[in-house]
Amino acid sequence: MTSTAQPPASGAREAHPDHLGHVIFITAAAAMGGFLFGYDSSVINGAVEAIRHRYEIGSGTLAQVIAVALVGCAIGAAVAGRIADRIGRIRCIQIAAVLFTVSAVGSALPFALWDLAMWRVVGGFAIGMASVIGPAYIAEVSPAAYRGRLGSFQQAAIVIGIAVSQLVNYGILQLADGDQRGVIAGLEAWQWMLGVMVVPAILYGLLSFAIPESPRFLISVGRKDKAKEVLAEVEGHNVDLDARVREIEIAMHREHKSTFRDLLGSRFGFLPIVWVGIGLSVFQQLVGINVAFYYSATLWQSVGVNPESSFFYSFTTSIINIVGTVIAMVLVDRVGRRPLALVGSAGMAIALAFEAWAFSADLVDGKLPATQGAVALVAAHLFVLFFALSWGVVVWVFLGEMFPNRLRAAALGVAASAQWIANWTITASFPSLADWNLSGTYVIYTVFAVLSIPFVLKYVKETKGKALEEMG
């Protein structure tokens, strides 16, 4: 995506758009991709143990089946920008919606383990596309004064998707009398868990017909009159539309289509700003956040919590995730991105350290001692809260804002791909690491949370209140 939001004419950056409500609807519709991102990523949490028993596989194979979707995520993130530049943002959204739908049906009705893994790769490709196209499209249609808050819709949708998936999983488990392999209408409970995603996937596709194409893409393909209509929708009729189109054209003429080669520097491979984007993406994952969303039910069962309670704790964690995200959305344009990241890093480090201590206790009758069990439960929720009010939101906002226009598309694709690779590393390694030493695994995550603090202090610049053209 070669061009994103430009500064409005005549001081409109600070003005209230005439149709802010419509802009919010457009943003929310686009963020449905984030909802599916969260839903598809975490719904597997309810099926992990059932898949293990259904196919009689060990921790290593199980981890690969869970993590293989992230290979599709990395590929989808890498190519989404190019697809969107060629056929438009809306067509890209529609392709992702179709892939989400196909993946849901295929995952619910697998013939064998390889077949289930294949459908997870398809769903992962859709997630990767949504992870790129959502923030970029929202940035392109958002007035600058509201871009941080509207950009936060993506993360809000992700965490709502996570929560809904856990609520649906819990409800299905109740219908199956607490048995993940219990049969409901001819299918096992875990199959229903994976298949229900077809409903939001179809809704995502339908909503794509109700939102406009990005004005930047329309101008890039010569459809200026249509671009003016969209600009009037999102910035109001008081804006000089001809001037806005000229501004966007001038900005686009100054830049060329970003390529991987543009990201390369002379000394360290990538340009420094690209490494910062990669660093943000990697640290976001290496603190182990997706263990809480992919494996929490398995984690709690491993320390003696019964299946129904473990599913309930997965749901309460996802509610805390929503609360933290709302806090971040309120604060991101007020206090800035960088302060939130630092507070979050400190809070996560402390919570993870307490989890590591709690899991170091010996199990008594297959359970953690009462004190350690309580500490582990509280610390797990606090970890998710601090992540959600900081890195969960600000990384997506940073990635949508921090790169110069001439690099944005390619750099965002590389950063998003790095995020999925780091996610895969954590997801694929956790079952085996947990078998080795659960406490030691959380010590590793604690170290990464601590290291993220000097990284932010030294390398990450604040983007609050800056136009995209000011990024350098």
Side-chain angles (χ1 to χ4, degrees):
M1 288 156 282
T2 58
S3 169
T4 49
Q6 313 300 327
S10 305
R13 282 180 61 194
E14 292 77 25
H16 286 229
D18 293 342
H19 303 294
L20 183 58
H22 185 56
V23 176
I24 290 174
F25 169 76
I26 292 171
T27 302
M32 268 298 296
F35 177 92
L36 284 159
F37 172 165
Y39 195 104
D40 195 12
S41 296
S42 63
V43 71
I44 195 68
N45 186 23
V48 171
E49 291 305 303
I51 291 171
R52 185 200 297 270
H53 296 137
R54 167 76 175 265
Y55 297 104
E56 299 180 347
I57 54 178
S59 294
T61 303
L62 177 67
Q64 294 308 315
V65 173
I66 305 305
V68 72
L70 302 172
V71 175
C73 291
I75 297 171
V79 304
R82 289 288 164 268
I83 294 174
D85 277 344
R86 287 182 177 273
I87 64 175
R89 284 58 165 150
I90 299 302
R91 289 287 180 266
C92 191
I93 287 173
Q94 290 166 350
I95 291 172
V98 170
L99 294 177
F100 276 124
T101 303
V102 170
S103 172
V105 175
S107 297
L109 303 171
F111 299 107
L113 190 64
W114 67 266
D115 163 39
L116 174 61
M118 181 189 71
W119 294 120
R120 286 189 50 72
V121 172
V122 172
F125 192 94
I127 293 173
M129 291 181 70
S131 74
V132 171
I133 195 64
Y137 174 84
I138 291 169
E140 290 182 350
V141 299
S142 299
Y146 298 92
R147 197 175 57 237
R149 277 164 285 184
L150 293 174
S152 299
F153 274 44
Q154 173 79 357
Q155 181 63 18
I158 292 171
V159 299
I160 291 171
I162 291 170
V164 171
S165 74
Q166 300 312 301
L167 181 60
V168 169
N169 284 355
Y170 183 71
I172 292 173
L173 189 69
Q174 298 306 304
L175 293 175
D177 297 322
D179 183 0
Q180 295 171 50
R181 296 198 60 192
V183 176
I184 304 172
L187 296 178
E188 294 185 5
W190 68 272
Q191 293 177 276
W192 282 106
M193 292 175 186
L194 300 183
V196 167
M197 191 183 70
V198 72
V199 176
I202 291 173
L203 178 60
Y204 183 41
L206 293 176
L207 284 172
S208 71
F209 292 97
I211 60 177
E213 182 55 85
S214 160
R216 280 82 203 169
F217 174 76
L218 292 171
I219 291 172
S220 74
V221 295
R223 299 176 62 189
K224 296 181 184 179
D225 289 339
K226 182 61 178 177
K228 291 178 185 178
E229 293 179 19
V230 176
L231 288 168
E233 284 186 50
V234 299
E235 295 186 6
H237 293 284
N238 295 328
V239 175
D240 185 337
L241 299 177
D242 289 323
R244 288 290 291 115
V245 169
R246 285 195 297 273
E247 287 176 2
I248 295 170
E249 285 183 311
I250 290 170
M252 292 173 66
H253 288 151
R254 286 175 180 166
E255 58 195 44
H256 63 286
K257 283 194 173 183
S258 55
T259 65
F260 185 81
R261 181 176 297 176
D262 294 324
L263 307 181
L264 300 178
S266 57
R267 295 180 61 192
F268 302 107
F270 290 121
L271 294 169
I273 189 65
V274 180
W275 280 117
V276 173
I278 292 172
L280 285 167
S281 293
V282 169
F283 273 118
Q284 187 197 50
Q285 297 301 315
L286 294 187
V287 295
I289 186 60
N290 280 311
V291 168
F293 300 126
Y294 296 165
Y295 294 114
S296 61
T298 296
L299 173 64
W300 293 121
Q301 289 174 52
S302 74
V303 292
V305 176
N306 66 59
E308 288 191 44
S309 295
S310 71
F311 273 61
F312 178 72
Y313 293 150
S314 296
F315 174 63
T316 58
T317 300
S318 65
I319 295 299
I320 293 295
N321 197 20
I322 294 176
V323 172
T325 301
V326 171
I327 294 172
M329 291 175 69
V330 171
L331 297 179
V332 68
D333 281 330
R334 296 183 181 181
V335 305
R337 291 71 160 135
R338 200 164 174 263
L340 284 180
L342 291 170
V343 169
S345 292
M348 288 190 296
I350 294 170
L352 286 166
F354 274 106
E355 284 195 81
W357 172 80
F359 290 135
S360 68
D362 293 329
L363 300 183
V364 179
D365 296 326
K367 298 181 180 180
L368 283 175
T371 300
Q372 283 84 349
V375 169
L377 188 60
V378 172
H381 284 74
L382 287 175
F383 165 60
V384 171
L385 176 65
F386 277 105
F387 175 85
L389 64 80
S390 60
W391 285 74
V393 167
V394 299
V395 168
W396 291 109
V397 177
F398 268 130
L399 294 181
E401 295 179 336
M402 65 186 290
F403 301 115
N405 278 343
R406 64 186 179 84
L407 304 177
R408 186 165 292 117
L412 183 55
V414 168
S417 295
Q419 187 174 111
W420 292 119
I421 293 170
N423 191 337
W424 177 87
T425 301
I426 293 297
T427 304
S429 63
F430 177 75
S432 297
L433 284 174
D435 288 347
W436 162 68
N437 189 317
L438 184 58
S439 176
T441 302
Y442 273 83
V443 169
I444 294 171
Y445 301 154
T446 303
V447 170
F448 283 117
V450 171
L451 290 176
S452 70
I453 296 174
F455 173 78
V456 171
L457 288 172
K458 185 171 183 179
Y459 298 111
V460 179
K461 296 180 180 179
E462 183 59 74
T463 59
K464 171 189 170 186
K466 295 183 179 180
L468 296 184
E469 289 67 41
E470 298 176 50
M471 307 302 173

